[in-house]
C-alpha cells in the first residue's frame, strides 16, 4: 500500500478493521498477513479473494474451524540447519510443533474428503511428516530435557550415571551417618559442588576429614569436602556426563540434519498454515459482523442494503440503504450536525475498501460494490498548526490533491464541502468543485450545509440529493439515509423545541429571503409526504406479511387435512379388509356347519341340531351385520330428552348420520329400527331426535333382502334371494316362511332370478319338502316369469 492510499485508508479507519482481523489469527505469521492486507483494484483478483473468504466461511459453518495453536517462524533455524548448524532443543521443538499442526490441519480436511473446496490447493499442498514429528517429540521432552530413550546409547549412559551416583551417595552416607564424623560435619547432608558429591565440614576440622576441598561457604565456617571414598565414583560420573553431552549433541545434530533435508516442505507447510489461518480469520471476522459477500462490478455502481458501519457498537448501529453510480454519479448529503452524514461517507468508503481486501461486509444479501483504482478522501479536520493552515486551507489543500488525481476510476468522498469560509463564496466554490469532479468522470459523495447545493442537486442531471433523517420531536438523528430527499437544517424547529421564544424564531424567519423560505417550505412538505408514504408502505408491508403468513397457515392446514384424510382412509380400508376376512371366516364356518347338519339329517337329533344351528347362525349373522354398521356413536353434550316416547311411524333425525328416518320398530333393549330411505338400520334411542308433526303411516317396505337378520313378526309379501347360493337361500327362506305364516300372509313371491337355474331348482326342492307350503308355481307374464316362484301357504 503506497503512502497516499495508506493515508486515505487510515482516514476511513481500515487499520482498525485489520487490527480486528489480526485478533482472530492464531500466531504471528498469519497476524502479519492480516496487518499487511491491502485493497486491490483488479476485479478478478477481488473476486478470487471474496470467493476464498466465502468458501472458508461456509466450511467453518458446516465443519467448524481447524484447531491451530500458536506456532513460531521456522525459516531462520531451517536455514542454519541447511548449512550444518546444530539446532537447540527449543528450535527443534518449534519445528516439531509446525509439523504437528500440518498433520492436524490435514486430518481436519480429511473429515470431508469426498467434497471439493476452493481451498484444496492449500490443504493438499501440506506435507505431513509423522516420522520426523514423532522423532523430535520422542527425543525432546522440553526446552531443557532430552528423553532417555532418544537413543539406546543415551539410555545406557544415563543408567551408568545413576549407578555411579548411587555408589557415591552410599560412600558419603556412611560418613554422614557414622558416629565418628558427626562432630566434624556442619549438617548431616550430602550436596553437590562443581558436579561432584561433597559433605559440609566445619572449618576447624578440615584436617579430620581427608579429601578434596571444592568450595567454602560465604562465612568461611563451612568447607565442602569430597571424601576420598567418593572420588572414584565422582570421577566416573564426570566422565559419563561428558559422554552424555556428546550423545545429546549427536542426537540434536541428527535431528537438525533431518529437518534440513525436509526444510523446503516444512517451510512451505508453515507458509500454507499462515494462509489457511488468515483465511479462517477472515471468516471469523465476517461471522462476528454478520457479514455477506456483495456482488462486484467495475462500473462505479454501489448499492448497500442495510449497511452497518463495522466499528460502531452492533447494538447501537442503525442499518441504512446507500446507492451511488447507477442512476446518479454525485450524491449530495445534507442534514443537521451529528446526524450521521460523516458516518455515511465513511461507511461507503470503508465497506468498499474491505471488499477490495477480500473481506465480507456487514450488509444484507443483494448488495453491490464497485471496484475502484482510487478512493480519494477528505474527511475530518486536517488543520495543521505546524503548517499554519486554517481549517479551510487544510481542506482545500486536500481537495486540490483530489482534483489532481480524480478520473473515471476514482471514488471521491468529501465531508463539509466548501465549509470554513464565507457561505456565499463557499457554496459557489463547492458547486464548481463538484462540476469539475463530475467532468473527470469520478463517482462523488459529499456532505454540506449549503442550501445552494440542495438546489444544484435538484436541478442537475445525474446529481441526487440525500439527507440524514432527524426526529424533531426527540431532537435526535435516526441515522437513516434518505436518497432523493434534500435535508432540512431544522434550526428553527430545534430552537423552538429547546425553548427559544417563538417571537425570536418568527423574527429570524422574517430575515430569510422569500426564495429561501419557499424552498424550506417545499422541503418540509416533501418530508411530510415522505413520512406519510413510509407509514402507509409499512402498514401495507405488515398486511402483506400477515396475508402471507395466513396463506402459509392455510396451506399447512390443507396439507395436514389431506394427510389426515389419507390416514383415515387407509385405516378404513384396513378395517374393511379385516371385516371382510372375518366375514369370510364366519361364512366358511356356517357352510361347514350346514354340511355337517345335512349329513345328520337322518339322525334322531336332527331337528334339535337344526334349531340350535339356526339360532347360532342368526346371532352370528347379526354380529357381522352390527360390525359392518357404518353408524358410529358420538357423544352429544346437549342432554337432549325425548318430549314423549317414540312410536312406529314417527319421523326422527339420526344424529350421527344427520339424516331423517322413520321408526319401524322399538325393542325393549333400547334399539330402534329406523328406515332412512332404502336403508334400514338399528340405532340407539339416545342417538335419535324426534321431529314433531312428522308421524307417517307405516307402510310395508319391500327390500331386496327384507328379512335378513330380523326376528320380527312383520313379514313382507316377497323376498329377493338373488346372488345367494342354495344353502344360504335355504336358511333365509326357512325364517322368511316362518314369519309369513305367523303374519297370515296367504302367498309369497320368491325372487331368485333366471340365471343358470341352480338356485331355482334348489328353491323348488326346498318348497316341496316344506310342511307349510300348499303349492307353488313359476311366475307368469308380468309377474317375473322364470325369475320368480309364487308359493301359497297353508
Amino acid at each position: 500500500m503506497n503512502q497516499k492510499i495508506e493515508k486515505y485508508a487510515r482516514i476511513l479507519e481500515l487499520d482498525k478493521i485489520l487490527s480486528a482481523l489480526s485478533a482472530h489469527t492464531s500466531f504471528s505469521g498469519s497476524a502479519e498477513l492480516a496487518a499487511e492486507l491491502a485493497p486491490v483494484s483488479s476485479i478478478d483478483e477481488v473476486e478470487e479473494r471474496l470467493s476464498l473468504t466465502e468458501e472458508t466461511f461456509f466450511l467453518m459453518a458446516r465443519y467448524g474451524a481447524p484447531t491451530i495453536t500458536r506456532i513460531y517462524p521456522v525459516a531462520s533455524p531451517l536455514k542454519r540447519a541447511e548449512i550444518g548448524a546444530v539446532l537447540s532443543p527449543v528450535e527443534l521443538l518449534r519445528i516439531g510443533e509446525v509439523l504437528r499442526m500440518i498433520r492436524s490441519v490435514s486430518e481436519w480436511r480429511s473429515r470431508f474428503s469426498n467434497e471439493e473446496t476452493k481451498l484444496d490447493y492449500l490443504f493438499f499442498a501440506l506435507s505431513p511428516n509423522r516420522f520426523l514429528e514423532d522423532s523430535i517429540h520422542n527425543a525432546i521432552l522440553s526446552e531443557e530435557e532430552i528423553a532417555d530413550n532418544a537413543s539406546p546409547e543415551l539410555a545406557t549412559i544415563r543408567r551408568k550415571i545413576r549407578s555411579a551416583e548411587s555408589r557415591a551417595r552410599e560412600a558419603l552416607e556412611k560418613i554422614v551417618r557414622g558416629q565418628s564424623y558427626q562432630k566434624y560435619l556442619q549438617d548431616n547432608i550430602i550436596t553437590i559442588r562443581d558436579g561432584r558429591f561433597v559433605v559440609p565440614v566445619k572449618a576447624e576440622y578440615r584436617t579430620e576429614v581427608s579429601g578434596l576441598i571444592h568450595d567454602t561457604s560465604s562465612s568461611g565456617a563451612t568447607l565442602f569436602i569430597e571424601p576420598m571414598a567418593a572420588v572414584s565414583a565422582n570421577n566416573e560420573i564426570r566422565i559419563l556426563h561428558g559422554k552424555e553431552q556428546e550423545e545429546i549433541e549427536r542426537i540434536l545434530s541428527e535431528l537438525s540434519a533431518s529437518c534440513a533435508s525436509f526444510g523446503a516442505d516444512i517451510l512451505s507447510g508453515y507458509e500454507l498454515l499462515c494462509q489457511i489461518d488468515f483465511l479462517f480469520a477472515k471468516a471469523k471476522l465476517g461471522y462476528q459482523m454478520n457479514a455477506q459477500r456483495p456482488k462486484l462490478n467495475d462500473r462505479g455502481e454501489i448499492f448497500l442494503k442495510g449497511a452497518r458501519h463495522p466499528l460502531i457498537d452492533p447494538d447501537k448501529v442503525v442499518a441504512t440503504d446507500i446507492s451511488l453510480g447507477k442512476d446518479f454519479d454525485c450524491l449530495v448529503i445534507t442534514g443537521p450536525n451529528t446526524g450521521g452524514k460523516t458516518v455515511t461517507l465513511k461507511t461507503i468508503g470503508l465497506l468498499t475498501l474491505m471488499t477490495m481486501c477480500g473481506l465480507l461486509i456487514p450488509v444484507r444479501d443483494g448488495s453491490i460494490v464497485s471496484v475502484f483504482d482510487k478512493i480519494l478522501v477528505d474527511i475530518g479536520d486536517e488543520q495543521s498548526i505546524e503548517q499554519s493552515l486554517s481549517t479551510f486551507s487544510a481542506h482545500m489543500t486536500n481537495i486540490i490533491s483530489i482534483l489532481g488525481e480524480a478520473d473515471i476510476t476514482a471514488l471521491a468522498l468529501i465531508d463539509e464541502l466548501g465549509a470554513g469560509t464565507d457561505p456565499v463564496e463557499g457554496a459557489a466554490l463547492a458547486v464548481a468543485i463538484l462540476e469539475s469532479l463530475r467532468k473527470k468522470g469520478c463517482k462523488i459523495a459529499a456532505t454540506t450545509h449549503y442550501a445552494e447545493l440542495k438546489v444544484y442537486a435538484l436541478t442537475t442531471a445525474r446529481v441526487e440529493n440525500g439527507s440524514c433523517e432527524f426526529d424533531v420531536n426527540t431532537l435526535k438523528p435516526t441515522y437513516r439515509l434518505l436518497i432523493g430527499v434534500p435535508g432540512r437544517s431544522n434550526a428553527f424547529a430545534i430552537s423552538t423545541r429547546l425553548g427559544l421564544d417563538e417571537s425570536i424564531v418568527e423574527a429570524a424567519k422574517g430575515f430569510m429571503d422569500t426564495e429561501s423560505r419557499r424552498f424550506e417550505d417545499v422541503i418540509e412538505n416533501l418530508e411530510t409526504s415522505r413520512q406519510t408514504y413510509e407509514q402507509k408502505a409499512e402498514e401495507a408491508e405488515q398486511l402483506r406479511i400477515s396475508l402471507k403468513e395466513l396463506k402459509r397457515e392455510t396451506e399447512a392446514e390443507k396439507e395436514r387435512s389431506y394427510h389426515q384424510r389419507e390416514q383415515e382412509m387407509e385405516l378404513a380400508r384396513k378395517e374393511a379388509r379385516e371385516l371382510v376376512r372375518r366375514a369370510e371366516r364366519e361364512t366358511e364356518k356356517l357352510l361347514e356347519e350346514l354340511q355337517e347338519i345335512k349329513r345328520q339329517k337322518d339322525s334322531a337329533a336332527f331337528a334339535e341340531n337344526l334349531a340350535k344351528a339356526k339360532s347360532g347362525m342368526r346371532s352370528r349373522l347379526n354380529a357381522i351385520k352390527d360390525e359392518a354398521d357404518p353408524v358410529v356413536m358420538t357423544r352429544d353434550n346437549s342432554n337432549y330428552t325425548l318430549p314423549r316416547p317414540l312410536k312406529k311411524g314417527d319421523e326422527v333425525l339420526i344424529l350421527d348420520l344427520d339424516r331423517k328416518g322413520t321408526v319401524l320398530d322399538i325393542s325393549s333393549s333400547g334399539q330402534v329400527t329406523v328406515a332412512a330411505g332404502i336403508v334400514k338400520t338399528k340405532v340407539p334411542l339416545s342417538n335419535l331426535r324426534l321431529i314433531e308433526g312428522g308421524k307417517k303411516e307405516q307402510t310395508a317396505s319391500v327390500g331386496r333382502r327384507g328379512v335378513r337378520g330380523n326376528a320380527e313378526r312383520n313379514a313382507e309379501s316377497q323376498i329377493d334371494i338373488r346372488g345367494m347360493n342354495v344353502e344360504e337361500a335355504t336358511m333365509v327362506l326357512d325364517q322368511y316362511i316362518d314369519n309369513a305364516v305367523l303374519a297370515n300372509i296367504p302367498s309369497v313371491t320368491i325372487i331368485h332370478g333366471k340365471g343358470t337355474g341352480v338356485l331355482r331348482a334348489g328353491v323348488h326342492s326346498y318348497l316341496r319338502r316344506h310342511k307349510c307350503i300348499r303349492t307353488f308355481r313359476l311366475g307368469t307374464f308380468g309377474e317375473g316369469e322364470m325369475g320368480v316362484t309364487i308359493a301359497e301357504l297353508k
Side-chain angles (χ1 to χ4, degrees):
M1 196 185 307
N2 65 49
Q3 190 171 3
K4 186 167 289 188
I5 294 177
E6 186 176 359
K7 171 191 171 184
Y8 293 145
R10 188 173 60 255
I11 294 172
L12 294 172
E13 300 178 291
L14 178 63
D15 56 320
K16 294 182 180 179
I17 299 295
L18 299 184
S19 295
L21 178 62
S22 296
H24 287 290
T25 59
S26 304
F27 56 95
S28 60
S30 51
E32 288 176 7
L33 291 179
E36 295 170 359
L37 182 62
V40 293
S41 56
S42 166
I43 188 171
D44 292 335
E45 190 172 349
V46 174
E47 193 75 56
E48 179 64 22
R49 287 184 173 189
L50 285 175
S51 295
L52 288 175
T53 305
E54 184 181 46
E55 182 79 354
T56 309
F57 184 90
F58 290 151
L59 277 177
M60 188 175 71
R62 291 197 298 272
Y63 307 108
T67 302
I68 301 178
T69 57
R70 185 178 181 184
I71 55 178
Y72 294 88
V74 291
S76 177
L78 286 174
K79 287 182 180 178
R80 289 178 43 244
E82 287 176 357
I83 60 176
V86 177
L87 302 182
S88 67
V90 174
E91 291 172 321
L92 288 169
L93 282 175
R94 289 179 176 178
I95 292 174
E97 187 61 20
V98 170
L99 289 169
R100 188 182 73 81
M101 203 53 54
I102 290 172
R103 176 176 55 83
S104 174
V105 173
S106 294
E107 290 175 353
W108 179 85
R109 174 62 184 87
S110 66
R111 287 165 48 191
F112 46 98
S113 56
N114 58 340
E115 181 179 344
E116 293 185 4
T117 76
K118 295 179 181 178
L119 276 67
D120 285 346
Y121 76 98
L122 295 173
F123 290 118
F124 294 156
L126 293 170
S127 299
N129 190 332
R130 187 64 181 265
F131 177 78
L132 180 56
E133 175 194 345
D134 289 345
S135 297
I136 293 173
H137 287 118
N138 291 337
I140 306 174
L141 299 179
S142 68
E143 297 178 359
E144 298 177 351
E145 185 179 2
I146 306 300
D148 289 355
N149 59 355
S151 73
E153 181 64 22
L154 183 62
T156 300
I157 292 171
R158 286 185 172 173
R159 188 169 57 253
K160 290 179 179 178
I161 289 174
R162 287 190 291 272
S163 176
E165 288 176 345
S166 177
R167 292 197 304 273
R169 284 183 176 277
E170 286 177 4
L172 296 180
E173 285 285 345
K174 292 178 181 178
I175 296 174
V176 169
R177 299 186 184 280
Q179 293 296 325
S180 57
Y181 289 96
Q182 289 292 318
K183 63 179 180 178
Y184 306 141
L185 301 179
Q186 195 71 262
D187 292 298
N188 295 331
I189 61 172
I190 300 172
T191 185
I192 296 177
R193 288 292 185 276
D194 296 331
R196 304 178 76 87
F197 288 98
V198 297
V199 292
V201 179
K202 295 176 182 178
E204 59 268 27
Y205 296 115
R206 59 186 300 176
T207 59
E208 300 299 329
V209 179
S210 61
L212 305 175
I213 300 174
H214 287 278
D215 199 1
T216 306
S217 66
S218 57
S219 64
T222 303
L223 301 177
F224 294 96
I225 297 177
E226 177 187 6
M228 296 306 296
V231 169
S232 176
N234 277 333
N235 287 340
E236 184 180 357
I237 291 171
R238 176 64 64 86
I239 293 171
L240 288 172
H241 274 307
K243 291 182 177 180
E244 177 190 32
Q245 195 58 40
E246 289 176 1
E247 180 60 17
I248 289 174
E249 286 293 322
R250 187 194 68 76
I251 292 169
L252 295 179
S253 177
E254 186 177 295
L255 289 175
S256 299
S258 296
C259 290
S261 64
F262 295 104
D265 289 340
I266 298 172
L267 185 59
S268 172
Y270 174 81
E271 292 171 351
L272 290 169
L273 288 176
C274 290
Q275 294 181 53
I276 291 171
D277 188 55
F278 172 57
L279 285 173
F280 276 96
K282 282 184 172 183
K284 292 173 185 175
L285 181 65
Y287 180 81
Q288 178 186 339
M289 293 181 176
N290 191 20
Q292 301 278 344
R293 174 186 177 178
K295 298 177 182 177
L296 289 181
N297 71 88
D298 55 3
R299 301 182 300 276
E301 295 178 10
I302 296 174
F303 178 46
L304 304 175
K305 294 176 63 177
R308 308 179 304 280
H309 195 289
L311 298 177
I312 299 178
D313 186 345
D315 295 329
K316 297 179 180 179
V317 68
V318 177
T320 188
D321 296 342
I322 305 171
S323 59
L324 174 66
K326 185 176 182 181
D327 298 324
F328 50 89
D329 302 320
C330 178
L331 178 63
V332 178
I333 306 173
T334 53
N337 289 326
T338 71
K341 299 190 303 297
T342 303
V343 171
T344 299
L345 288 186
K346 285 190 172 183
T347 300
I348 296 172
L350 181 56
L351 297 191
T352 301
L353 284 175
M354 287 175 63
T355 301
M356 293 166 64
C357 288
L359 297 173
L360 305 180
I361 58 176
V363 294
R364 289 202 300 269
D365 192 33
S367 295
I368 301 171
V369 174
S370 177
V371 174
F372 295 95
D373 287 348
K374 306 167 190 173
I375 299 181
L376 312 173
V377 183
D378 179 43
I379 297 176
D381 189 1
E382 296 291 336
Q383 183 173 348
S384 171
I385 297 175
E386 295 177 358
Q387 297 177 357
S388 301
L389 296 176
S390 66
T391 299
F392 175 76
S393 299
H395 280 298
M396 194 50 59
T397 300
N398 278 339
I399 288 171
I400 291 169
S401 175
I402 289 172
L403 288 169
E405 295 184 67
D407 56 25
I408 197 171
T409 65
L411 169 65
L413 305 172
I414 305 175
D415 193 25
E416 298 296 347
L417 181 59
T421 187
D422 177 74
V424 176
E425 292 181 354
L429 190 59
V431 172
I433 291 170
L434 290 179
E435 277 296 300
S436 177
L437 288 171
R438 288 183 62 231
K439 289 178 181 178
K440 292 177 178 289
C442 72
K443 302 298 183 285
I444 312 151
T447 67
T448 184
H449 283 287
Y450 294 139
E452 290 83 353
L453 287 182
K454 302 176 189 177
V455 177
Y456 165 74
L458 285 171
T459 58
T460 307
R462 296 196 66 79
V463 179
E464 188 62 86
N465 269 303
S467 62
C468 290
E469 190 178 50
F470 190 87
D471 190 339
V472 178
N473 295 321
T474 61
L475 300 181
K476 292 181 179 179
T478 66
Y479 300 106
R480 288 179 59 212
L481 178 66
L482 306 175
I483 302 293
V485 181
R488 301 178 61 205
S489 63
N490 293 308
F492 294 153
I494 294 172
S495 300
T496 302
R497 291 282 297 173
L498 291 174
L500 184 65
D501 193 289
E502 289 189 12
S503 61
I504 298 177
V505 174
E506 291 301 321
K509 291 180 179 179
F511 288 119
M512 291 179 64
D513 60 73
T514 304
E515 289 297 324
S516 296
R517 287 201 302 272
R518 287 176 60 191
F519 184 69
E520 287 296 320
D521 290 341
V522 169
I523 294 178
E524 183 176 2
N525 293 334
L526 183 62
E527 177 65 11
T528 302
S529 299
R530 182 194 64 79
Q531 291 178 356
T532 302
Y533 166 77
E534 282 195 353
Q535 182 179 358
K536 291 185 179 298
E538 185 175 352
E539 292 174 356
E541 179 64 16
Q542 291 298 326
L543 180 60
R544 186 190 67 81
I545 292 173
S546 299
L547 290 174
K548 185 177 180 181
E549 180 64 19
L550 180 60
K551 181 181 178 182
R552 187 190 65 78
E553 291 177 357
T554 303
E555 291 293 335
E557 183 62 31
K558 181 179 177 182
E559 186 70 15
R560 282 195 298 270
S561 298
Y562 173 77
H563 286 299
Q564 184 178 359
R565 186 187 68 185
E566 287 298 313
Q567 289 173 359
E568 291 176 353
M569 290 287 288
E570 181 60 26
L571 180 60
R573 283 191 287 268
K574 287 181 180 178
E575 292 177 350
R577 288 193 294 269
E578 181 61 27
L579 182 59
V580 169
R581 282 194 292 269
R582 287 201 294 272
E584 288 175 345
R585 288 196 296 269
E586 290 296 326
T587 302
E588 289 175 359
K589 289 180 181 178
L590 290 174
L591 293 176
E592 288 175 1
E593 291 176 7
L594 284 173
Q595 291 296 334
E596 182 63 26
I597 291 171
K598 286 178 69 176
R599 283 194 294 269
Q600 298 173 2
K601 64 182 180 179
D602 296 330
S603 67
F606 175 74
E608 183 181 352
N609 292 339
L610 183 60
K612 288 181 180 179
K614 285 182 179 180
S615 176
M617 289 176 185
R618 289 192 191 102
S619 62
R620 286 153 73 178
L621 285 171
N622 285 333
I624 295 174
K625 179 179 177 182
D626 291 341
E627 194 171 4
D629 193 342
V631 178
V632 180
M633 182 63 182
T634 60
R635 294 185 180 273
D636 178 28
N637 297 321
S638 63
N639 297 321
Y640 175 81
T641 303
L642 287 168
R644 61 173 175 78
L646 292 179
K647 300 177 182 178
K648 294 181 181 179
D650 279 342
E651 189 173 3
V652 293
L653 175 68
I654 304 174
L655 187 63
D656 285 327
L657 295 180
D658 191 25
R659 187 170 179 181
K660 293 180 181 179
T662 304
V663 175
L664 298 180
D665 187 44
I666 305 170
S667 68
S668 58
S669 63
Q671 293 288 324
V672 181
T673 303
V674 179
I678 63 171
V679 177
K680 290 181 184 178
T681 182
K682 288 185 178 181
V683 184
L685 188 62
S686 60
N687 201 30
L688 296 177
R689 300 292 181 267
L690 177 63
I691 300 175
E692 292 293 348
K695 185 170 182 180
K696 295 183 180 178
E697 250 183 65
Q698 185 174 359
T699 59
S701 175
V702 178
R704 289 185 61 194
R705 301 182 184 178
V707 298
R708 181 179 178 185
N710 291 325
E712 294 81 15
R713 302 299 178 92
N714 302 333
E716 298 172 346
S717 61
Q718 69 177 19
I719 182 171
D720 187 350
I721 60 172
R722 285 176 295 182
M724 299 182 187
N725 56 34
V726 174
E727 290 82 1
E728 187 179 4
T730 300
M731 286 195 332
V732 172
L733 280 175
D734 192 62
Q735 183 178 355
Y736 172 70
I737 292 172
D738 287 346
N739 290 336
V741 169
L742 292 174
N744 294 318
I745 297 175
S747 66
V748 295
T749 300
I750 303 169
I751 306 171
H752 44 65
K754 298 178 181 179
T756 60
V758 174
L759 182 58
R760 181 177 66 249
V763 169
H764 288 180
S765 176
Y766 168 76
L767 294 176
R768 288 189 189 97
R769 300 192 307 271
H770 202 289
K771 61 185 179 180
C772 294
I773 302 299
R774 185 189 306 276
T775 182
F776 63 89
R777 64 177 175 82
L778 289 172
T780 60
F781 180 78
E783 291 179 326
E785 300 179 346
M786 298 287 290
V788 301
T789 296
I790 299 172
E792 292 184 10
L793 304 180
K794 292 180 179 179

